[in-house]
Structures are given as C-alpha cells and as structure tokens.
Amino acid sequence: MRFFGKFVRGKGFAALFALFSMFSVCYVSERMGRLLECFFSCSCKWWIFAVLFVFMGYMFLYINSKKEKKKTRNLYEFCSVFLCFLLYLVMLLWVYDLADWLFQIDKDSFYMIPVICAVLITGYGFCHAKKLYVKEYDIPLEHFQKEKRIVLLSDIHVGTFVDVRQLRKIISTVNEIQADMVFIAGDLFDVEAFAYCKKEEIAAELQNCPLREMFMRFWEIMIQSLKQEK
C-alpha cells in the first residue's frame, strides 16, 4: 500500500495519466467524429480534438491558477463533472467497440448509445453523491457492558462539491441518529479547497451542532484550527 501511495503521488503516475489522457482525447475525438459525420456529413474530428485538448490542458494548468476566484472554481467544478463523463464515455466506447468486433454491428450511428449511457451514469452519480444514506451494522464488542450506538463518518471533503448546505444536512442527519459516540475517520476537508473555502460559515455550523461531548471536543479542535487559518 505504501508503494502504491508513493507511485500515485509520483511523477511516474503523472506521466502515465498524461499519456492515457492524450490517448483518450484522440480515441474519443475519432469515435465522436464518426458519429457526427452520420448526422452532418462533415468531418468534425479535429474540431472535437481541439476542444478536448484545450479542456484537458485547462484541467492540468488549473493546479497553478488562482483558486480563490469563484468563477474559476465554478468552471473547475463543471470541468470535473465533464471529466467524469469523458472517463465513462471512454470505457463505454471500449465496450461498444468490443461488441462491434464480436457481432459486426458496423453502424457509426450506434455510437450514440455509449454517449447516452455516459450522460445517464454521470447524472446519476452526481445526484447520488448529494444524497445521504445511513447503513446500520450490529458489531459485538465484549468490553461494552451495554449496547451503544456509534456513528462513523469519513471522507466528507468539505470545500469543493460539499458546501455548507450539504455539511448542515450531514450534521442534521447525525443528530437525528442520537448516537452515544461519533467518530470521524479522516478527510473532513478537501485539501485542495481548504485555502479558499468558507471557513467562517463552516465554523458557525460546527459550533451550533448539538452533538455529544466526544464529538464536540473534536469540533472544538477543528474550529480553533479554522480560526487560526483566517
């Protein structure tokens, strides 16, 4: 696991990701060009390639841009969703090309099927991420003399896609459970968004949540760190 973590954060993975991105841009441009030619009878491959190349270039260059600007963040969030769509599209195009090779479909207009499926999957994923689901498990613990209700939270990533409204919804859901103990496994904040997220509003939400003592101690530590970052 340590090797994998170092590899993902290293230059080797970045180079592989860049190569895969360029391959995906060329692959999608060629397939979508064939699809559009069925409807408009004109070659659009290079136009699609140019648009996707600019899009991917912006995603890479965003790391060094001014993230504190709201317009830049909004555009980045849109690009992130569109990037998810492209990833799904590439995988679905692979599946379609495999089916085409096996069953000799040989109709470029059918490339519309992977496009529609990628749109539906991306839309479902975006809506599903906003919903909260409570899963209950019965775990026997010998050192507990009586039954306790414990809540475990992890990977909330407040700052980019999880805003103050979503955080308020999470806190409300946890309070409704009336747990004896609440644990946060980690990644409460989005590291990339911590420098420009709405710290004052987040601190106000954390201070106002009527949670149990163990949870409040954790929130007090986080509130102090938030105020120090101002």
Side-chain angles (χ1 to χ4, degrees), residues 32-178:
M32 292 301 96
R34 288 166 58 177
L35 173 63
L36 292 177
E37 285 178 9
C38 297
F39 298 99
F40 301 104
S41 300
C42 61
S43 179
C44 304
K45 296 178 183 179
W46 289 108
W47 285 103
I48 298 173
F49 176 82
V51 171
L52 292 179
F53 183 80
V54 172
F55 166 77
M56 295 299 295
Y58 172 79
M59 291 292 293
F60 285 120
L61 294 176
Y62 174 79
I63 299 175
N64 297 323
S65 66
K66 296 182 179 180
K67 301 178 183 180
E68 64 274 6
K69 292 184 178 180
K70 186 176 181 180
K71 292 182 178 180
T72 305
R73 297 200 307 271
N74 292 339
L75 182 58
Y76 174 73
E77 292 172 7
F78 169 79
C79 291
S80 298
V81 175
F82 188 70
L83 181 61
C84 292
F85 163 76
L86 286 180
L87 292 175
Y88 287 126
L89 181 59
V90 169
M91 291 186 288
L92 290 169
L93 286 174
W94 286 346
V95 173
Y96 177 82
D97 282 343
L98 177 61
D100 186 18
W101 178 71
L102 293 174
F103 303 105
Q104 301 297 317
I105 300 174
D106 197 25
K107 285 189 176 181
D108 291 341
S109 60
F110 281 14
Y111 278 116
M112 181 63 71
I113 297 175
V115 174
I116 295 174
C117 291
V119 171
L120 294 176
I121 294 173
T122 304
Y124 171 78
F126 184 79
C127 296
H128 178 77
K130 295 293 183 179
K131 293 185 178 180
L132 300 179
Y133 299 91
V134 179
K135 294 185 177 180
E136 298 185 1
Y137 301 92
D138 294 328
I139 303 175
L141 298 174
E142 297 180 355
H143 60 280
F144 280 161
Q145 297 180 353
K146 62 178 182 178
E147 184 177 315
K148 291 184 178 294
R149 178 170 291 184
I150 302 173
V151 171
L152 174 64
L153 299 173
S154 179
D155 299 287
I156 298 176
H157 293 284
V158 178
T160 303
F161 293 100
V162 179
D163 54 10
V164 177
R165 182 185 304 175
Q166 185 72 1
L167 176 63
R168 188 182 302 119
K169 186 177 179 181
I170 294 172
I171 293 173
S172 176
T173 302
V174 172
N175 289 335
E176 291 175 359
I177 297 174
Q178 296 182 349

Side-chain angles (χ1 to χ4, degrees), residues 153 174 182 184 209 211-219:
L153 299 173
V174 172
V182 182
I184 298 183
C209 63
L211 297 173
R212 302 292 179 113
E213 182 178 358
M214 180 178 292
F215 202 44
M216 285 301 295
R217 288 175 181 171
F218 178 84
W219 286 133

